[in-house]
Structures are given as C-alpha cells and as structure tokens.
Amino acid sequence: MATILVLHGPNLNLLGTREPGIYGARNLGDVDRKLNELCRQAGHHFLSLQSNAEYELVERVQEASAEGVQFIILNPAAFTHTSIALRDALLAVAIPFIEVHVSNVHAREAFRQNSYFSDIAVGTITGLGTLGYELALTAAFEKLSQSSS
Ligand code: DQA
C-alpha cells in the first residue's frame, strides 16, 4: 500500500462552474471522490489538497516527504507557468509526480505553453478533461507496482 497525494492549484476549486466550455462540468469534489475510490480499490491511501496559495502547496509538498507520500498527481494550474518555488519543492523532496492539465494547454494562449514542471515530471497529461486525473492515477499505480517489484 502506498500513499498518493493529489494537489490542485489555484482556481481549481471552481471546477464545474469555471469556464465550463474549457474545464467541463464536473466539480472538484466529484473528481476527488472518484480518485479516492480508485485508490481504495487499488489498496492505496489517498490524500488531496486544493489551494489558491503558492506557499500552501509548497508546504504540502515538503510535508509529503515526512509523511512518506510515494507519488504525487499535480495540477499546478496557473502556477504551472510561474512557480519556481513549487518546482524547487518537488525537486527537494524527489517524490515522483505526474503533471495533469484539464484543458489542452498547447492549444491555448502562448503563455500556457511554458511549464516549470514538465521536464521534471514522470509524465504529463493535458487536454483530456478531468479524466486526465484518473489516467494519471492509473499510471501512478503502474509505476508504484514496478518500483515495489
Ligand atoms: C490548467 C491550465 C492552466 O493554464 C490554467 O492556469 C489552469 C488550469 C488546466 O488544468 O487546464 O488554471 O492547469
């Protein structure tokens, strides 16, 4: 059994009502409930945090190391394009993570093309809606089973 932490960055608390044409109709509670259920079925422990504050995400990553979190699923939201602090936190703890974006950031504004996370992530999933979180979790299960065998 592993502990998996899902981190959602700023404005993702508004999923479901925020620009539904881009981000879809599913709210964050529904997304987390589904991820929790998938973790439970796979015998893993699920933790989640959404924050609009960069320092809270940085602190959560630092705590994750002490807690023995083995994998992180991260949607940094707008911090994707700005946060050296969050990148440094992930480098510091060296916990493997998958970067998820609900929308296809490559089909949007030029400033969304740059990510401070993609080059240090295990992988990235973008543009598949909130299903992307579930796909990332499936990949995390696979990676965890490879690393424990
Ligand atoms: C996002 C894409 C980001 O560019 C944006 O700032 C977000 C959400 C996504 O999930 O598609 O807030 O990370």
Side-chain angles (χ1 to χ4, degrees):
M1 172 176 148
T3 299
I4 299 172
L5 172 64
V6 179
L7 288 176
H8 308 279
N11 300 305
L12 291 170
N13 54 314
L14 301 179
L15 273 185
T17 56
R18 170 193 189 196
E19 298 179 89
I22 295 177
Y23 296 109
R26 216 166 153 212
N27 70 38
L28 194 63
D30 289 342
V31 171
D32 272 353
R33 264 186 293 281
K34 177 71 180 182
L35 298 178
N36 191 10
E37 178 59 15
L38 292 172
C39 281
R40 199 188 57 74
Q41 284 169 3
H44 296 305
H45 184 220
F46 170 81
L47 297 171
S48 166
L49 172 75
Q50 185 280 326
S51 180
N52 296 322
E54 187 177 23
Y55 82 94
E56 285 186 355
L57 294 164
V58 168
E59 287 183 351
R60 191 68 193 84
V61 169
Q62 291 181 7
E63 285 163 15
S65 180
E67 264 175 322
V69 168
Q70 281 162 271
F71 212 98
I72 294 175
I73 309 291
L74 171 69
N75 184 346
F79 293 145
T80 307
H81 321 296
T82 62
S83 185
I84 298 170
L86 191 52
R87 174 190 172 94
D88 283 350
L90 287 153
L91 286 171
V93 299
I95 299 171
F97 73 95
I98 295 175
E99 177 185 355
V100 172
H101 298 286
V102 176
S103 67
N104 181 355
V105 287
H106 303 294
R108 300 182 64 193
E109 301 96 320
F111 66 82
R112 294 187 206 275
Q113 314 290 310
N114 175 59
S115 167
Y116 277 107
F117 301 92
S118 301
D119 65 311
I120 58 167
V122 172
T124 65
I125 296 177
T126 184
L128 299 179
T130 53
L131 178 66
Y133 287 106
E134 294 168 38
L135 299 173
L137 202 54
T138 303
F141 295 161
E142 184 62 27
K143 292 284 174 193
L144 286 165
S145 75
Q146 284 166 6
S147 63
S148 68
S149 61

